[in-house]
Amino acid sequence: MSYQNILVDPQNAITTITINRPKKLNALNKDTIAELHDAFADANDDEDCRVIIITGSGEKAFVAGADISEFADFDVSEGANLARKGQELLFSFVANLETPVIAAVNGFALGGGLELALAAHFRVASDNAKMGLPEVSLGVIPGYGGTQRLPQLVGKGKAMELIMTAGMISADDAKAWGLVNYVVTQEELLPLCEKLAGKIARNSSTAIAAAIRSINANFDKTKNGFETEIEEFGKCFGTEDFEEGTTAFLEKRKPEF
Ligand code: COA
């Protein structure tokens, strides 16, 4: 599929999706969100793809937010629709994807950019990255899941502070807050994400999908997380990967998933 605003690079088991609007600091307009949806859906359906890395092009920005020029004149129902569609198409879609998604945060991750990183399953940042949810400085609030996913990761008090001040935190502070797992130089960012992706790719993708569903259930008020874990655990016993994984262990060889 050909895209205007993103680059998709499938290499062995890892598909890297790069948001490619550097002149607009990779701001998420409607078309980019639609393209990202298609690219994530395709990668998730691709049997060869075991991990997805999402990053931004250039050295300045991961994503500097939703494209402000597109919604500046919206009314109340258009605003609600913008948030609902965005969450459905991209942010909740990514958070609930069966294929693991790593966000390689290579610069500014603001507003919808930080919300996209929050929707990924975990985050790695370059040392120049700056993160924040500045929406209240525009007279609006985060609408792509930021008010929900930020406190899940950093706690209520820090989320309140970051959102209310509309401030930005450094990569090192983001690591101290538990927002990102590692901070490395720009040059080391994709290699580290690829190394982590390689480790993930060696494991059972059906079991990883079950782990994602179970962990996400912990944050879904309509679900009982422990019950979800029991069901997902049980379902693993009916998979080829479970047979291969346990047989390989008993035969003292590496599993081939
Ligand atoms: N939406 C639309 N365009 C954006 C954008 C956004 N969220 N963020 C940056 N851009 C555009 C700028 O308008 C500018 O375009 P232009 O060259 O056509 O004027 C271009 O990207 C470069 O940005 P600029 O502001 O000149 O870069 P800077 O280095 O001076 O500042 C930021 C960088 C990130 C601090 C600044 O761009 C910014 O504050 N962006 C908005 C962040 C935000 O509020 N995001 C939440 C949106 S809900």
Side-chain angles (χ1 to χ4, degrees), residues 21-252:
R21 299 180 75 212
K23 286 189 180 141
K24 295 290 174 191
L25 302 186
N26 304 321
L28 294 176
N29 61 1
K30 203 172 150 209
D31 291 347
T32 307
I33 288 178
E35 288 186 6
L36 283 169
H37 171 86
D38 291 345
F40 276 109
D42 278 357
N44 193 49
D45 290 345
D46 176 357
E47 286 208 343
D48 294 332
C49 170
R50 288 172 162 259
V51 184
I52 300 168
I53 297 172
I54 175 80
T55 193
S57 72
E59 298 197 338
K60 197 167 169 185
F62 173 69
V63 170
D67 193 320
I68 299 168
S69 65
E70 275 191 349
F71 61 76
D73 62 355
F74 276 11
D75 64 19
V76 171
S77 70
E78 287 170 317
N81 197 37
L82 178 76
R84 190 177 307 285
K85 278 208 95 173
Q87 291 194 16
E88 276 170 18
L89 274 178
L90 185 58
F91 299 84
S92 297
F93 187 75
V94 165
N96 293 311
L97 215 61
E98 296 206 317
T99 307
V101 179
I102 305 173
V105 182
N106 59 310
F108 286 115
L110 301 174
L114 180 54
E115 289 172 301
L116 181 58
L118 292 169
H121 297 121
F122 63 91
R123 290 140 293 281
V124 179
S126 58
D127 50 16
N128 66 316
K130 286 207 158 51
M131 286 160 246
L133 293 174
E135 284 86 347
V136 298
S137 71
L138 298 166
V140 66
I141 63 167
Y144 289 147
T147 65
Q148 306 303 297
R149 292 195 181 96
L150 184 64
Q152 287 166 2
L153 276 168
V154 306
K156 186 176 170 185
K158 287 194 168 71
M160 286 281 190
E161 180 187 335
L162 194 65
I163 289 171
M164 288 178 189
T165 59
M168 286 186 212
I169 57 168
S170 66
D172 285 337
D173 284 344
K175 181 159 178 279
W177 283 25
L179 194 48
V180 303
N181 293 8
Y182 305 92
V183 178
V184 291
T185 62
Q186 282 237 327
E187 296 70 45
E188 290 166 325
L189 181 63
L190 284 178
L192 175 58
C193 290
E194 284 158 9
K195 191 173 155 196
L196 293 164
K199 281 189 183 181
I200 294 169
R202 285 199 285 277
N203 297 317
S204 158
S205 51
T206 52
I208 286 172
I212 291 172
R213 282 192 292 274
S214 300
I215 294 169
N216 280 348
N218 184 29
F219 301 100
D220 183 340
K221 291 191 181 66
T222 67
K223 291 190 178 137
N224 177 327
F226 286 98
E227 198 49 49
T228 303
E229 183 183 274
I230 289 166
E231 282 166 23
E232 293 291 344
F233 180 81
K235 277 196 235 156
C236 290
F237 286 70
T239 65
E240 285 177 12
D241 277 6
F242 175 72
E243 197 180 332
E244 169 61 9
T246 48
T247 305
F249 179 82
L250 296 172
E251 291 176 355
K252 300 194 186 304

